[in-house]
Amino acid sequence: MSIELVDKLTELLKQVTGFIYPNEIQIHWTLLIVVYPYITGLVAGAFILASLVKVFNVKEVQPTYRLAMLTALAFLIVAPLPLLLHLGHPERSYEIFLTPNLSSAMAMFGFVYAWYLMLVLLLEIWFEYRKDMVLWGKTEKFPMNWFYKILSLFSTDISEKAVAFDKKAVKAITIVGIPSAFILHGYVGFIFGSVKANPWWSSVLIPIVFLFSAIVSGIAIVLLLYMIITTSRGKQIDMKCLDRVASFLLYAVIVDFSLEVLDFIHRLYESEESITIITTMVLNKLSISLIVMQILLGMLLPLGILIIVKIFRFNQELRKLLYFVSAIMIQIGIFSTRWNVVIGGQMFSKSFRGLLTYKMEIFGLEGLLMAVFLLILPFLILTVLLKVLPPWGKNNETNTT
Amino acid sequence: MKIFFTKVPDPIIRLVIVFGVFFGVILFVRGFVIPKELKEKGIHRTSAIERELASEIHYAGSGICAECHDEEYDLKNEGYHQKLSCEVCHGPAMEHTEEPDDFTPPAPRQRKFCPECHTYNPSRPTGFPQINPVAHNPLRPCIDCHNPHDPKPLTVPRECSACHAQIAITKAGSHHVMLECTVCHDTPDEHKSTPRLIRAGKPVKRDLCASCHDKDSGVKEVPKIDVYTHGEKYVCWQCHSPHMPEVNHE
């Protein structure tokens, strides 16, 4: 035993209460596994918001459509990274792609991911931007014109008929995309919900709760991005759009909250043998992250704010401020939800008689800095995407859709 | 043919080509580029095992230490620490066995090391020597008094609690607090010095409990039952924990 390991174990051992099995002292699914469902959730949520425009014809939220799609793409690109880094040997992770295992539930993510990335997001974005790319291929300077030509796969047809076909294709893909987005995040919930041995995870409701919290966080992130980007471009925020997005956010929060309450009541009523240790854990180890951050700050407060905004018609500036604040709090809340699910599920002993502690690393592959980096990365990618495929068109030409 | 192609919208053809190329590349890669070993069906790839075999070895195992440190080796193998590997305490020592003069493994002389295994913890097996590091001869390194290679107890412990701390703690909070362990356990003195060789006795019949609890026993201030009817044919400790007898008075 190296002295550092002894030090680390000694520190952790002191935090243990009650009885735990010897191999439980180290928590294996760490911060990165918290980041993973959080990011995938944003993808699914942003996509669902975008689909409102195309499938349900909610005209007001049109200004956020392209932004939502690009946001989903940016986050989707980052989504597998936390998993690959978590494997401990990221440099070998390519082997997973070369040797897909068809019988592993975990490996299914690769397939769900590939389907969603290629057949939903990329295709839809391609059809949505095809006309613009053809135009930019003509108007931009070298070398960007070639870049757009390649992106548009050298198509040139921008006749009315062709554009109408693009629209139809976008709609068709969105219709396929909605269940795909459900599957994408439902899958993430499934991975937790199907662990029979862990009473904190094992619940058929988990995939659904995951899905709705994903929708909540996705709508909130697009709302935030829309406000920030529009303001920084010196443009006027479309209040009709903002109000509408905020209402959807409110409805999603209500559904999500009811589902979580349902899950909670269900557990309490079932009162399986694990309920004692889970109650102790929630009251002690998770009191801040679950009761304060997730429920009070991340759920009830934004819920209250959004309801108040709905009832009283405040002026624009105040509304913007309140939306902004609640969207940020929702992000914090959903991140805490992920934390409480992932880390919480490993903080009690499978003997149901003891609690342990997670000590976060700062540096290292699974440390805090890496997690922060992974959370910033999608925004960097999004910046590039917004430069390359500006949702608002180039050179102040009017939005083409 | 021509008519068919003009009917399919232009973007679809382009996309089909892209996807076709994409899947073509995948099939090609799977077919020809991926080395054979990656396509093995077994749980472990042979090459992965070879790769692990090729990685540097850090631990040498206990046997080899005997070649040069036969004194420590023999000493340890007779004592309580016989089941511990040398490198559990001295860390990986492969390099040392190859270049004994250039690399010497550290020896854990600090006090905080030994409690890693010996701190009192209810999950440790019964009889495992456990101490409370705060109270047990504080501040001095453990090796002042115990030889790490032959940690004989300096004196035979007097109390059963030295090794059965969990049970002693349980009993101390129970109705049986006043009962000595030996009332119920017939324990030879040698059990305290060689616990695994000389066993302590365990009650086997309900008579023991009945000697105090039967309504005719005559012992005072003890809750009474009728041994012949109470609990039927079962031994008492199938229902009452002997070290923490509890009754649900409702």
Side-chain angles (χ1 to χ4, degrees), chain A residues 1 10 19 95 98 153, chain B residues 14 30 38 45 88 116 123:
Chain A
M1 263 193 283
T10 318
F19 175 89
E95 290 182 10
L98 298 182
L153 303 178
Chain B
R14 290 172 199 277
R30 260 200 82 73
L38 279 183
R45 243 184 294 129
V88 157
E116 203 57 56
S123 61

Side-chain angles (χ1 to χ4, degrees), chain A residues 1 3 6-7 9-10 13 19 92 95 98-100 118-119 123 126-127 153-155 165, chain B residues 9-12 14-15 18-19 22 30 34 38 45 51-52 87-88 110 112-113 116 123:
Chain A
M1 263 193 283
I3 289 295
V6 170
D7 284 350
L9 280 179
T10 318
L13 272 175
F19 175 89
R92 292 184 195 162
E95 290 182 10
L98 298 182
T99 58
M118 296 199 297
L119 283 166
L123 264 195
W126 188 78
F127 274 115
L153 303 178
F154 300 104
S155 65
F165 179 77
Chain B
D10 164 74
I12 296 287
R14 290 172 199 277
L15 286 173
V18 170
F19 275 95
F22 181 73
R30 260 200 82 73
I34 300 181
L38 279 183
R45 243 184 294 129
R51 175 177 69 196
E52 295 312 317
E87 286 160 307
V88 157
Q110 317 86 324
K112 69 177 176 198
F113 177 73
E116 203 57 56
S123 61

Side-chain angles (χ1 to χ4, degrees), chain B residues 61-90:
Chain B
S62 285
I64 194 168
C65 315
E67 283 176 22
C68 308
H69 301 293
D70 50 335
E71 214 174 285
E72 281 85 3
Y73 188 82
D74 293 340
L75 193 58
K76 185 181 78 71
N77 273 6
E78 317 250 278
Y80 281 97
H81 275 167
Q82 55 181 252
K83 296 227 175 89
L84 303 191
S85 158
C86 312
E87 286 160 307
V88 157
C89 298
H90 290 296

Side-chain angles (χ1 to χ4, degrees), chain A residues 185-259:
Chain A
H185 206 62
Y187 164 84
V188 178
F190 169 82
I191 275 296
F192 290 97
S194 60
V195 181
K196 289 198 262 221
N198 189 321
W200 184 240
W201 291 339
S202 169
S203 152
V204 273
L205 265 183
I206 286 262
I208 303 172
V209 174
F210 260 53
L211 195 65
F212 275 91
S213 52
I215 295 178
V216 169
S217 66
I219 298 182
I221 196 94
V222 175
L223 186 128
L224 280 178
L225 285 171
Y226 175 66
M227 291 180 79
I228 295 172
I229 291 173
T230 316
T231 319
S232 65
R233 285 174 59 230
K235 295 273 146 77
Q236 203 60 39
I237 291 179
D238 179 347
M239 271 324 267
K240 260 216 190 104
C241 165
L242 201 63
D243 284 336
R244 202 62 204 268
V245 173
S247 326
F248 281 120
L249 183 58
L250 172 64
Y251 306 145
V253 171
I254 292 175
V255 177
D256 182 32
F257 187 58
S258 338
L259 281 173

